[in-house]
Amino acid sequence: MKERLLYIDMLKAFGIILVVMGHVFNDTDSIVSHFIYAFHMPLFFLLSGVFFDYDKKINFSSMLKKRWKSMLKPYLFFYIITFLYWVIIERNMRASAGGVDTEWFIPILGLLWQGMDGNMYAHNNPLWFIPCLMSVNVIAFVCSNLDKKYRYIAVGVSLVLYCLLCYSKIHLPWELNIALLAFGFFYCGKLVKMCMGGKKAILLALFGVDLFLFSLIPANTHYLSMLGLSICDIPIYYLRAIVTIYIFIIVAKWLEQYVIRAKIMIRAVEYIGANTLVVMCVHDPVKRVVLFVVSKCTSVSIDIIRGDILWSLSITLIIVLILLPIIFTYNRYVQPRLL
């Protein structure tokens, strides 16, 4: 990997750890939850859009074939594996570890419809991200056939369509609703390479803007999540996510010069950054097992563990360590057969 792009893997590694942490820590009134959910999923959509070339003309079938191999095959594999695990072993105990107990056939319907309503991802909630990202790629492909001057208009149109769907309470398949909201972040990915490291004054100004935007969220409101935004939340959510992400882009580019000096750090960052798809698809079932085992071994209830920041950090670290051999096994034995 080129050194100038190491900061992208740093952001991916940081983002996926926040995803795991966000699913472990369950104090929705905490500033930690507000911070994590303010930008962690927008960050992933933005980073996914970094390498999308809007000026390169490719046909739709070629794009689908590429995404089928890199995204949809792994998605179906992890969907089926985690569904079988949930049905056979875990369904009756999932709710106590932070999940949803529902009828066994609901996730099968979810595979066909991909809607969050009705607990359709009951076996593995984070899987919603993959079909949503696929829908975003389709939207981006359509926009690549537009003149440059109309692409920014397309971002605005996608947000308007999202608002109309929210108002009408219509949920489209393949998470197209959320994709319309996420496309703006995805499109901003093409601007990431243009975001050069800023001066301290700029960074402080961005922190000030970020704190101001955070203060606009009512104190009695839970964190703003991409999956549960109201129409009124969108402006604050978008601005706060973009500002926070830009802060971390500047910080990551600044840290890159120090990470490059340590080969072990480079390998660790690149390894986690290159395998965020596996972490996204597997960490939730692993989380529930870890919570169950730690709770039994320590006689501390799962609710207490998930409500304490230090406990949650420890559980997050354990999950990441457990995922390393799973990633290795998938890359060594499964992925070659899916290609």
Side-chain angles (χ1 to χ4, degrees):
M1 176 170 290
K2 298 179 181 179
E3 288 185 353
R4 63 186 179 89
L5 295 181
L6 178 62
Y7 73 95
I8 298 293
D9 267 342
M10 291 170 62
L11 290 167
K12 285 183 177 180
F14 176 67
I16 198 63
I17 290 173
L18 283 183
V19 169
V20 178
M21 178 67 184
H23 290 154
V24 173
F25 189 59
N26 197 36
D27 185 355
T28 56
D29 293 322
S30 169
I31 191 173
V32 175
S33 293
H34 280 263
F35 170 75
I36 292 174
Y37 281 85
F39 77 100
H40 73 321
M41 294 316 299
L43 173 64
F44 268 101
F45 284 109
L46 186 143
L47 293 177
S48 299
V50 168
F51 299 104
F52 191 95
D53 190 350
Y54 291 87
D55 299 318
K56 183 180 179 181
K57 299 300 180 183
I58 59 173
N59 59 58
F60 188 66
S61 61
S62 297
M63 190 273 289
L64 284 181
K65 184 177 180 180
K66 182 178 180 181
R67 295 295 181 266
W68 168 251
K69 289 183 177 180
S70 64
M71 189 185 305
L72 296 182
K73 274 189 175 181
Y75 166 70
L76 290 173
F77 171 79
F78 286 117
Y79 199 104
I80 294 170
I81 292 297
T82 55
F83 170 72
L84 292 175
Y85 165 73
W86 175 73
V87 167
I88 297 171
I89 299 175
E90 195 190 27
R91 185 164 70 94
N92 294 325
M93 67 183 212
R94 188 193 192 292
S96 64
V100 179
D101 187 18
T102 189
E103 298 294 335
W104 69 269
F105 57 84
I106 295 296
I108 297 177
L109 300 178
L111 185 59
L112 300 174
W113 184 254
Q114 277 84 22
M116 289 300 294
D117 297 336
N119 301 326
M120 289 184 173
Y121 290 104
H123 66 300
N124 195 350
N125 287 332
L127 287 176
W128 71 267
F129 175 78
I130 311 301
C132 185
L133 182 58
M134 183 64 208
S135 295
V136 170
N137 274 268
V138 172
I139 297 172
F141 173 83
V142 173
C143 291
S144 69
N145 293 302
L146 301 175
D147 291 335
K148 291 182 179 180
K149 60 183 178 181
Y150 295 119
R151 291 173 187 167
Y152 290 104
I153 297 176
V155 174
V157 170
S158 68
L159 288 175
V160 171
L161 289 174
Y162 172 78
C163 292
L164 290 174
L165 290 171
C166 282
Y167 181 78
S168 59
K169 297 182 179 180
I170 296 174
H171 197 104
L172 299 177
W174 281 84
E175 298 297 347
L176 189 55
N177 294 55
I178 308 301
L180 291 167
L181 175 67
F183 175 62
F185 297 117
F186 187 89
Y187 190 74
C188 286
K190 76 186 193 70
L191 306 177
V192 167
K193 295 178 185 179
M194 301 164 55
C195 296
M196 303 307 295
K199 297 180 179 179
K200 290 183 179 179
I202 296 176
L203 195 58
L204 289 173
L206 288 172
F207 273 119
V209 172
D210 210 19
L211 290 173
F212 172 72
L213 293 171
F214 182 80
S215 70
L216 295 179
I217 302 173
N220 61 347
T221 302
H222 289 327
Y223 57 76
L224 298 182
S225 170
M226 181 173 276
L227 295 179
L229 288 180
S230 69
I231 295 175
C232 297
D233 292 331
I234 293 175
I236 296 177
Y237 183 80
Y238 241 90
L239 286 172
R240 180 166 168 75
I242 292 295
V243 171
T244 308
I245 290 170
Y246 188 69
I247 289 172
F248 278 100
I249 290 173
I250 294 175
V251 172
K253 286 192 172 185
W254 175 72
L255 289 174
E256 187 179 38
Q257 60 184 314
Y258 300 102
V259 174
I260 287 175
R261 299 174 186 175
K263 290 184 178 180
I264 295 179
M265 284 286 292
I266 293 176
R267 292 196 188 101
V269 167
E270 288 182 341
Y271 191 73
I272 296 175
N275 291 284
T276 54
L277 177 65
V278 181
V279 178
M280 186 74 75
C281 292
V282 178
H283 79 271
D284 207 42
V286 172
K287 174 203 75 177
R288 298 191 297 271
V289 173
V290 172
L291 285 171
F292 178 80
V293 172
V294 171
S295 177
K296 290 296 183 182
C297 292
T298 61
S299 298
V300 179
S301 73
I302 290 177
D303 289 337
I304 292 177
I305 292 174
R306 299 190 72 201
D308 182 84
I309 186 65
L310 292 179
W311 267 115
S312 296
L313 283 170
S314 301
I315 297 297
T316 300
L317 177 60
I318 294 171
I319 292 170
V320 171
L321 292 175
I322 291 174
L323 288 175
L324 294 179
I326 294 176
I327 292 171
F328 174 82
T329 302
Y330 172 80
N331 290 337
R332 182 72 176 271
Y333 300 105
V334 179
Q335 188 180 41
R337 290 168 172 78
L338 294 179
L339 296 178

